[in-house]
Amino acid sequence: MPIDSGNKWFLRLAAEGAVIVVSILLAFAIDAWWADRQEEVEETRILSALLADFNSTQESVRELRKYREAKIASISRLLEAAAGTLVLSPTQIDGLLGDLLDAGTVDFSSGALASLFEGGGLAKIQNQNLRQRLTSFTYLIDWTKDLEEPTRQRQNMHWNPFFWSNSYYPQIENAKGRIPGLEIENATPQIPIRERRDHSSILDNDEFTGMLATELGSQSTLLRWYAKLEREIEQVTEIIESELSQR
């Protein structure tokens, strides 16, 4: 049965309408795909920057751990000598005392992590577990800095004044060689001295041994905290690497 002109017009209109609808839906799909793709690219950029920062932070923690371990070793040797269970030469004593003059520095700056929170980029990370760990990690860093601060305060408020009053300070300052635990030369230039003194008697000073005992406890606490921090860094790094490997 032949199709009249009215039906032909209707079929044509329906076909054109269907094409328009399909075109609109296709455009929406392309836009959505492109938006998703851009979000994935941005998330990949953020994850890559975070991975680089966490690798750097991990290396900083490892160096701090070596530094604190070396400080503990120096303190322990001085305590053994003070207790009479270890014999040290005056030169060795000066070197160990020089280790006490270094308070160390802490740098856990993470530009990527800071930018992530300041710019509201945390929401761009799809992995909920990773988002939670990144938030927790910022608190861990703050707590680490808080634990480190008393060691620097004791350096300025206790150790330096003690050595100024109870030793020939320039001689001990000159005895500082490499930074404890690290293959880094001490940058302080040698100070001219008028004589050499024997600091062995400082081992009989009760105030000195009490300060050593306090410092030993503090350094040991920091070492335990570093272990916790290193474990968290390793876990976060593994999650980031896993996310990046899927792209």
Side-chain angles (χ1 to χ4, degrees), residues 153-168:
Q153 291 180 353
R154 280 196 304 274
Q155 186 68 43
N156 295 323
M157 298 175 62
H158 299 286
W159 284 116
N160 287 344
F162 175 84
F163 283 124
W164 293 336
S165 300
N166 297 274
S167 71
Y168 187 24

Side-chain angles (χ1 to χ4, degrees), residues 195-213:
E195 62 181 353
R196 290 196 62 83
R197 298 181 187 176
D198 186 345
H199 292 110
S200 300
S201 61
I202 203 171
L203 299 176
D204 297 324
N205 187 305
D206 290 341
E207 181 183 0
F208 176 69
T209 53
M211 291 168 61
L212 282 178

Side-chain angles (χ1 to χ4, degrees), residues 74-140:
S74 295
I75 293 169
S76 297
R77 292 187 71 194
L78 286 169
L79 284 170
E80 290 174 12
T85 59
L86 177 66
V87 177
L88 297 172
S89 70
T91 300
Q92 289 175 317
I93 291 174
D94 282 356
L96 295 172
L97 294 179
D99 288 346
L100 297 176
L101 297 182
D102 194 299
T105 58
V106 182
D107 183 13
F108 294 134
S109 57
S110 174
L113 192 58
S115 299
L116 191 66
F117 283 91
E118 292 172 1
L122 188 64
K124 296 179 181 180
I125 295 179
Q126 299 301 311
N127 189 310
Q128 182 178 356
N129 182 31
L130 178 57
R131 290 201 306 270
Q132 293 174 342
R133 285 187 175 276
L134 289 174
T135 301
S136 298
F137 188 76
T138 60
Y139 292 107
L140 281 177

